[in-house]
């Protein structure tokens, strides 16, 4: 719920991109001893399809791009979810970006590890948003 709520708060904020969408803390951080973080399958199972669809519609309407995170696009637990979600987003007119989460502007647009996902989605240059464009 927190992950979706965070992304739902982006429309109307003036932001142009959601960096590392669908980020799940337990994928990249080892929990402190004795703390159990949720399994990725449990997190994804909680996302209601209509809620996700409404979010993507708002992103398309407000021209807010989704980052294709190289690290997350390679995570086996997220692979099919990300691919299915990004196909739906593309069909709705959402655009994408790749690169450094905007930490290093020169890296924006670099595919690196995300190249496989970009090819599978058959994304064209028009499917991407770059800083400085509309």
């Amino acid at each position: 719920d927190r992950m979706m709520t965070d992304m739902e708060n982006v429309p109307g904020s003036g932001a142009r991109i959601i960096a590392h969408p669908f980020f799940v803390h337990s994928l990249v951080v080892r929990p402190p001893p004795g703390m159990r973080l949720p399994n990725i399958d449990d997190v994804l199972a909680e996302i209601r399809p209509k809620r996700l669809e409404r979010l993507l519609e708002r992103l398309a309407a407000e021209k807010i791009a989704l980052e294709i995170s190289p690290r997350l696009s390679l995570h086996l637990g997220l692979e099919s979810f990300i691919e299915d979600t990004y196909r739906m987003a593309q069909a709705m007119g959402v655009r994408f970006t790749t690169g450094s989460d905007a930490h290093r502007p020169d890296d924006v647009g670099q595919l690196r590890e995300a190249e496989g996902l970009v090819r599978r989605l058959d994304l064209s240059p028009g499917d991407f948003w770059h800083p400085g464009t509309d």
Side-chain angles (χ1 to χ4, degrees):
D1 185 59
R2 168 72 191 271
M3 176 181 64
M4 289 298 293
T5 300
D6 286 348
M7 289 190 296
E8 289 164 339
N9 284 329
V10 174
S13 71
R16 299 301 316 258
I17 183 172
I18 296 179
H20 48 74
F22 308 107
F23 173 81
V24 178
H25 197 69
S26 60
L27 293 178
V28 295
V29 176
R30 171 175 261 153
M35 182 179 182
R36 182 186 169 281
L37 293 176
N39 180 290
I40 184 61
D41 295 326
D42 296 336
V43 172
L44 297 179
E46 291 293 318
I47 298 175
R48 296 187 318 273
K50 285 290 184 192
R51 186 175 183 187
L52 180 59
E53 188 176 313
R54 281 192 305 271
L55 170 64
L56 296 176
E57 287 170 350
R58 291 183 66 202
L59 297 180
E62 295 189 29
K63 297 183 178 182
I64 299 170
L66 287 175
E67 179 200 17
I68 297 175
S69 167
R71 180 173 28 173
L72 294 183
S73 69
L74 291 177
H75 193 282
L76 295 178
L78 271 175
E79 191 174 60
S80 63
F81 172 81
I82 291 289
E83 193 165 332
D84 292 345
T85 301
Y86 281 29
R87 280 190 199 290
M88 183 179 5
Q90 180 186 21
M92 293 178 169
V94 174
R95 295 197 313 179
F96 305 95
T97 192
T98 60
S100 67
D101 297 346
H103 296 294
R104 293 175 301 280
D106 291 344
D107 288 346
V108 173
Q110 301 298 315
L111 297 180
R112 294 193 182 97
E113 296 91 347
E115 185 174 3
L117 178 59
V118 169
R119 286 179 199 245
R120 287 192 306 277
L121 294 173
D122 196 27
L123 298 177
S124 68
D127 291 315
F128 287 89
W129 174 84
H130 295 281
T133 64
D134 68 357

